Amino acid sequence: MPTDSSAFLTALRLADSSLPVGSYTASYGIEQYANEGLLEEVSDLRAVVEAYLERVVGPCETVAVANAHAASADGDLDGVLAVDERLHAVTLPREFRESSTRAGGQFCDLLLAAADGEAVAPAYATAVEAGTTPGHYAVCFGVYTQAAGLECEVACLTQGYAFLVSLLGAAQRLGRFGHTDVQSVLESTLPVLEEVCARHVETPLGEMGAFAPFAEAMGMRHERATRRLFMS
Amino acid sequence: MGYRDVAKIGIGGPVGSGKTALVKHLVPDLVDLGYEVGVIANDIMTQEDADVLRRAFAETVPEDLVRGVETGACPHTGIREDPSMNLAAIDEFTEWNPDLDVVIVESGGDNLAATFNPELADYFVFVISVAEGEDIPRKRGPGVTQADLLVVNKTDLAPYVDADLEVIDRDTREVRGGDPYVFTDCKSGQGIPTVREHIERVLFA
Ligand SMILES: Nc1nc2c(ncn2[C@@H]2O[C@H](COP(=O)(O)OP(=O)(O)OP(=O)(O)O)[C@@H](O)[C@H]2O)c(=O)[nH]1
Ligand SMILES: [Mg+2]
């Protein structure tokens, strides 16, 4: 998986938590785990994060990035729109959909709308802007990284890494986890991310779907939470 | 229509300095002057807080123009490094209310270094209170020195917290270097018309 230096730098830029797309406002249910006392020990955090990788990042987000990347490479706008529609349908908690589409909208504004005029990117950005497609972050990400010359698997790893770091950041701000603990969870879950991306980079769109009922229940209960620092 | 098409006022300042109290005065005043106003508050903690916020403006602002935006326990990130979620909320306001003139964004209570991103606020008001200590202006926090307008609130409390308003006035004048500041008492409303005049002069000239 060799990658040229400009693609590498683009990957770093996209995985950087300073990318202004509001990821720090999304916890994807982590806040509710904390609210309900389910995130006390480092082992709880590791288990929850691994489950997200296995059940959401792999079978949903990675499949979305990879299929959007492939459709974009084929110049297939309808294919990209189909990925967006499917991801919207399989993301059950309302707040998860909102966090993803708000970040996607910002990503479009910031990067996609200005991407190469020949590519699918600007047409897709126009559809997101017009509200005719939801504009999920993973789909925007797949389209943009294809136009920017990132290999599909690199794109999936980059998106997965950014998601992982953002979950851990939310957990750290909510719980009583030290920075070394958080880094140790990150280190031990990176191989899981690698494995999950490799497993799902070629999963066809028709098989996209999360199985994370507990996380989804947390995401739904968060809407009526007694404490809300995060949007999801 | 989008966030670039409306005037945006950012209200920042430490926890409890009187940001919400100021917004509660300004909103009806601006509505009376004929402006269509939207209100965003950051770091709403529960749905109940959001309801309290909506009720506070129930007489003056339509429900869909009052919104809490959570900032993931990073209030300064929400107004400075990455205001994207506030901008997204303003975009939604403008989508449904094309006649919108101005949006007031109240930051979550933060420290003296928390300034507004110029893309989020055309006019940045920083609110401190005399009850936080007479020496606040002297610390020269970026909020105090860089805001378009500094509001020194709770002047009514000065005698109870051993704060000398003359000292605060002298220090504030020095650190502001000629930029405007206003003393207010949000309880009685003293000073509020001056704040409103500053905002009007700059935003709606
Ligand atoms: N005596 C006095 N009390 C005030 C004044 N302004 C605000 N307060 C009170 O101070 C308290 C905090 O005011 P808020 O307006 O909620 O402060 P805030 O800056 O919005 O606080 P956060 O949003 O929590 O950071 C409330 O109890 C207000 O009634 C004032 O000028 N004088
Ligand atoms: Mg307030």
Side-chain angles (χ1 to χ4, degrees):
Chain A
M1 203 168 33
T3 195
D4 70 38
S5 53
S6 101
F8 176 64
L9 290 175
T10 301
L12 290 182
R13 179 188 182 196
L14 298 179
D16 192 330
S17 64
S18 75
L19 188 73
V21 292
S23 1
Y24 67 97
T25 65
S27 91
Y28 289 100
I30 292 288
E31 178 166 35
Q32 197 56 20
Y33 279 89
N35 284 347
E36 303 199 11
L38 299 168
L39 218 50
E40 302 285 328
E41 307 295 331
V42 177
S43 55
D44 299 336
L45 179 59
R46 181 173 288 115
V48 167
V49 169
E50 274 184 19
Y52 267 86
L53 290 174
E54 292 280 356
R55 292 154 177 262
V56 182
V57 174
C60 265
E61 302 275 311
T62 299
V63 179
V65 173
N67 280 276
H69 191 284
S72 175
D74 292 342
D76 176 10
L77 177 63
D78 287 340
V80 173
L81 298 176
V83 180
D84 216 7
E85 187 182 16
R86 172 92 188 189
L87 185 55
H88 202 64
V90 300
T91 307
L92 297 188
R94 177 170 61 78
E95 291 185 350
F96 289 12
R97 291 195 300 275
E98 285 174 358
S99 279
S100 171
T101 54
R102 287 218 179 95
Q106 294 300 318
F107 189 91
C108 268
D109 224 24
L110 195 67
L111 296 167
L112 261 192
D116 179 7
E118 293 297 303
V120 168
Y124 176 64
T126 305
V128 174
E129 171 78 10
T132 53
T133 190
H136 279 282
Y137 191 70
V139 181
C140 298
F141 198 92
V143 171
Y144 181 78
T145 49
Q146 191 278 324
L150 269 74
E151 303 270 336
C152 188
E153 192 164 353
V154 175
C156 294
L157 285 166
T158 307
Q159 143 79 358
Y161 175 81
F163 192 86
L164 176 59
V165 168
S166 146
L167 283 187
L168 288 173
Q172 185 171 15
R173 300 203 290 283
L174 286 163
R176 295 185 40 81
F177 302 112
H179 55 294
T180 29
D181 283 339
V182 169
Q183 283 298 315
S184 106
V185 174
L186 175 60
E187 190 172 326
S188 67
T189 44
L190 285 178
V192 182
L193 172 63
E194 242 180 293
E195 195 272 315
V196 153
C197 279
R199 191 166 4 119
H200 287 288
V201 70
E202 289 184 3
T203 301
L205 183 59
E207 287 171 28
M208 178 201 286
F211 182 72
F214 203 83
E216 288 166 350
M218 289 296 135
M220 292 173 194
R221 281 153 79 126
H222 185 258
E223 289 175 31
R224 283 176 295 281
T226 48
R227 179 189 70 177
R228 288 174 56 92
L229 295 169
F230 288 77
M231 284 189 181
S232 63
Chain B
M1 279 286 282
Y3 71 82
R4 293 185 183 87
D5 304 310
V6 285
K8 297 171 290 296
I9 303 171
I11 313 263
V15 177
S17 61
K19 298 178 291 299
T20 302
L22 178 66
V23 175
K24 281 184 184 161
H25 280 289
L26 286 178
V27 168
D29 284 5
L30 290 169
V31 169
D32 281 347
L33 288 165
Y35 299 113
E36 200 159 313
V37 185
V39 182
I40 291 176
N42 283 177
D43 265 345
I44 294 294
M45 310 288 275
T46 64
Q47 196 52 49
E48 189 185 321
D49 293 340
D51 294 340
V52 167
L53 187 73
R54 258 184 219 108
R55 268 202 300 279
F57 300 106
E59 308 285 309
T60 42
V61 181
E63 196 169 300
D64 63 349
L65 282 176
V66 182
R67 172 83 74 83
V69 170
E70 296 89 348
T71 53
C74 301
H76 48 274
T77 310
I79 60 159
R80 193 175 53 202
E81 291 89 338
D82 181 357
S84 58
M85 291 298 122
N86 280 316
L87 295 175
I90 299 172
D91 275 342
E92 282 167 29
F93 280 4
T94 59
E95 203 173 304
W96 303 111
N97 304 271
D99 295 330
L100 191 65
D101 297 298
V102 55
V103 177
I104 299 183
V105 181
E106 182 191 335
S107 159
D110 209 329
N111 60 55
L112 297 173
T115 51
F116 266 78
N117 181 318
E119 291 177 54
L120 176 62
D122 303 297
Y123 195 72
F124 166 30
V125 181
F126 198 74
V127 183
I128 57 174
S129 108
V130 306
E132 289 153 355
E134 187 184 270
D135 58 342
I136 294 279
R138 284 202 293 278
K139 297 182 199 232
R140 296 175 194 265
V144 170
T145 59
Q146 289 174 22
D148 293 309
L149 180 68
L150 178 70
V151 170
V152 183
N153 188 36
K154 304 197 191 181
T155 50
D156 57 310
L157 295 185
Y160 308 104
V161 294
D162 297 332
D164 185 337
L165 287 178
E166 276 174 33
V167 171
I168 297 181
D169 190 32
R170 189 198 61 211
D171 291 348
T172 306
R173 180 169 313 129
E174 194 196 326
V175 302
R176 291 287 292 163
D179 289 337
Y181 63 94
V182 184
F183 277 43
T184 58
D185 164 2
C186 281
K187 260 193 121 122
S188 71
Q190 212 176 354
I192 302 291
T194 317
V195 174
R196 196 195 56 229
E197 281 159 25
H198 276 287
I199 290 174
E200 260 214 300
R201 197 175 317 136
V202 175
L203 285 188
F204 306 111

